[in-house]
Amino acid sequence: MLSEQIKKSPLWTSINPVPAIYPWMYQDETCEVCVVGGGITGALCALQFAKAGMDTVLLAGGPIGHGGTARSAGILQADPEGGLRGLSRQIGVDQAVEVYRQSSQALQELQDIAAQGPYNCGFTQRDFLYFADTEERMEDIHEEYLLKKHNGFAVELIHPDRARERYSFDMEEGLLCRGEAATVDPYLLTHNAIMAAEKAGARIYENTTVEDISQENGKRSLLTSVCHTVKADTVVLAIGLDSCDFLKGIGSKRTCFSVVTEAGGDLSGWEDGCIIHHIGRPEITYSVTPQGRILASGLDTGLIDRNRRMAGLLPLDVLAEKKFAHLQEEIIGMFPGIRETQVEYAYTSDYLETEDGLPVIGTQEQYPGCYFAICPSQNGILFSQVAADLLVQMSRGDEPEIAKVYSPQR
């Protein structure tokens, strides 16, 4: 049973003081690149463009790092939905492996951003464990193991007879992917990236909403809520779910449920604090935050309508209470040796899920001069860095072959 004292607010913005405050847009601006979006995707795009020597302005509709970023699980993982096996079936093995290679490079780049910034965002490289507790999913895990091992990834197959020595929960079979993931405080990482972008010359404005984008004399003209205008050669739209207003049919909206336990405690039965993903039913991912909290997220649904009701009937808050209680029960069942399993934070997050689990990066014909950076699903933070790197190349007229995999026209 959940305590009545549980905080119904995102973890990261609750436990951190505001690192920095940026002004509303107080003057008209002219620039080469205007990045719209103040989450992790927008921050990383602004940083990469500014580092590339391009005159950059970033407009955040709300406070920096709030919105979807604040509700993220803070997991960085190379695996898209369905793993290498699922992705290979959609885009081919060679391109799927290249996606993984880009994700691994992005992981190292984000580690550097985390280390060089003024705020300790607890970046910790971790292993990633898939496990199944039913026989029908064992073949999926074994196929994933063979595919990754053949392509040079460091993986270990964990059989039931050895699992009990290392983990406190039952599994029919598990796959441990070495060093393919990390955990981080995404709110502080975003602020580190923003501060680095500002240091590189970017001008940052928060609480400034873009109300209209038009074309004027070869430039994009962005009218803001504070009655000032940005004129830019290029616009990068890193606006998450709001991208649906521009690109119809690019994905479906999903709602994820998360609970976070109190801080501290011995992680008995959880080897190395690896990220754990249960691929059966229910699908839940478990991670350890920089403060030693257990964060469990999942039980996703796509049936929440615009009135915040489940299938038009059950209010979201009623459904959420059931989901939160379910997640706490799963934590207790998974880790009986851990005493600190009392939930302190519980919240929902909405995200965009594309059919192939990949981000949408690139241009759309009806919006000339505009680039989209839509980084959905469970590995959106890593894909944000991939998007930032690719968009700098694209803006210079250099479009790598792999960019077609992420194109809005794919």
Side-chain angles (χ1 to χ4, degrees):
M1 187 71 178
L2 288 177
S3 166
E4 293 182 358
Q5 304 303 313
I6 289 177
K7 303 176 182 72
K8 300 296 178 61
S9 57
L11 171 69
W12 313 112
T13 47
S14 298
I15 64 174
N16 292 306
V18 178
I21 298 174
Y22 296 90
W24 294 6
M25 189 176 169
Y26 54 85
Q27 61 185 5
D28 290 345
E29 289 277 9
T30 299
C31 59
E32 291 179 88
V33 180
C34 181
V35 178
V36 183
I40 185 64
T41 307
L44 292 172
C45 287
L47 173 58
Q48 291 305 101
F49 277 105
K51 283 172 59 179
M54 303 181 77
D55 185 28
T56 303
V57 167
L58 180 138
L59 303 178
I64 294 293
H66 284 242
T69 295
R71 295 175 178 272
S72 160
I75 294 173
L76 292 70
Q77 65 181 77
D79 285 54
E81 201 75 37
L84 184 59
R85 166 182 167 271
L87 188 58
S88 296
R89 291 180 175 180
Q90 296 188 74
I91 64 173
V93 174
D94 291 343
Q95 288 186 315
V97 169
E98 178 61 15
V99 168
Y100 270 68
R101 187 201 65 77
Q102 283 190 320
S103 296
S104 295
Q105 179 181 330
L107 188 66
Q108 298 308 311
E109 292 172 353
L110 289 173
Q111 185 171 18
D112 292 340
I113 293 170
Q116 293 167 11
Y119 306 113
N120 180 8
C121 48
F123 187 103
T124 306
Q125 194 156 1
R126 297 189 185 275
D127 297 337
F128 191 93
L129 173 69
Y130 295 95
F131 84 95
D133 54 12
T134 58
E135 290 188 11
E136 57 264 29
R137 300 304 297 270
M138 288 175 59
E139 188 60 36
D140 296 345
I141 286 182
H142 194 66
E143 186 178 339
E144 181 78 5
Y145 165 74
L146 293 174
L147 190 56
K148 283 189 171 177
K149 190 170 183 64
H150 177 74
N151 284 282
F153 295 97
V155 290
E156 176 188 353
L157 202 60
I158 300 177
H159 298 291
D161 56 340
R162 294 289 309 278
R164 271 294 186 177
E165 300 172 10
R166 303 162 67 175
Y167 307 103
S168 60
F169 46 90
D170 293 325
M171 67 173 76
E172 287 294 333
E173 195 159 62
L175 176 62
L176 190 67
C177 307
R178 296 286 187 186
E180 282 190 17
T183 50
V184 71
D185 181 325
Y187 179 62
L188 293 183
L189 179 64
T190 299
H191 273 275
N192 276 349
I194 286 288
M195 293 195 77
E198 188 177 45
K199 186 176 181 180
R203 299 181 295 288
I204 311 297
Y205 299 103
E206 61 183 355
N207 297 310
T208 302
T209 304
V210 174
E211 296 189 336
D212 183 65
I213 302 176
S214 59
Q215 191 158 342
E216 184 178 313
N217 299 324
K219 280 185 172 284
R220 266 42 60 186
S221 180
L222 294 85
L223 177 64
T224 71
S225 56
V226 291
C227 300
H228 288 292
T229 300
V230 179
K231 295 189 185 304
D233 298 323
T234 299
V235 174
V236 174
L237 294 170
I239 52 178
L241 271 173
D242 289 339
S243 302
C244 294
D245 295 337
F246 294 87
L247 303 178
K248 305 301 182 184
I250 58 168
S252 55
K253 176 185 168 186
R254 304 278 293 173
T255 298
C256 177
F257 302 85
S258 300
V259 298
V260 189
T261 66
E262 296 173 344
D266 175 35
L267 298 178
S268 300
W270 192 341
E271 185 179 78
D272 299 327
C274 63
I275 298 166
I276 300 171
H277 183 67
H278 182 196
I279 67 169
R281 288 289 180 265
E283 293 230 359
I284 299 172
T285 300
Y286 306 88
S287 60
V288 180
T289 75
Q291 302 80 27
R293 302 171 184 269
I294 299 173
L295 195 161
S297 59
L299 307 181
D300 301 14
T301 178
L303 301 176
I304 304 300
D305 66 15
R306 67 180 62 188
N307 296 314
R308 309 299 284 164
R309 287 179 172 271
M310 172 75 168
L313 299 173
L314 185 66
L316 177 60
D317 57 350
V318 175
L319 173 67
E321 288 299 323
K322 297 178 182 295
K323 298 277 191 177
F324 296 151
H326 187 170
L327 287 168
Q328 183 174 38
E329 290 171 4
E330 292 291 337
I331 290 174
I332 295 170
M334 285 278 291
F335 309 109
I338 299 176
R339 297 180 61 184
E340 290 78 10
T341 56
Q342 179 59 50
V343 170
E344 185 175 1
Y345 293 90
Y347 49 93
T348 64
S349 57
D350 296 333
Y351 66 93
L352 187 69
E353 181 181 63
T354 58
E355 188 173 340
D356 53 16
L358 293 176
V360 177
I361 306 169
T363 59
Q364 187 78 330
E365 185 177 352
Q366 62 263 44
Y367 304 111
C370 293
Y371 290 90
F372 291 89
I374 308 167
C375 302
S377 198
Q378 59 190 11
N379 47 352
I381 298 177
L382 269 188
F383 280 145
S384 294
Q385 182 64 19
V386 171
D389 289 337
L390 279 177
L391 288 178
V392 170
Q393 296 178 60
M394 291 180 187
S395 70
R396 292 171 166 171
D398 177 19
E399 187 162 331
E401 185 66 24
I402 192 64
K404 296 176 182 177
V405 169
Y406 307 121
S407 169
Q409 288 82 33
R410 68 179 185 266

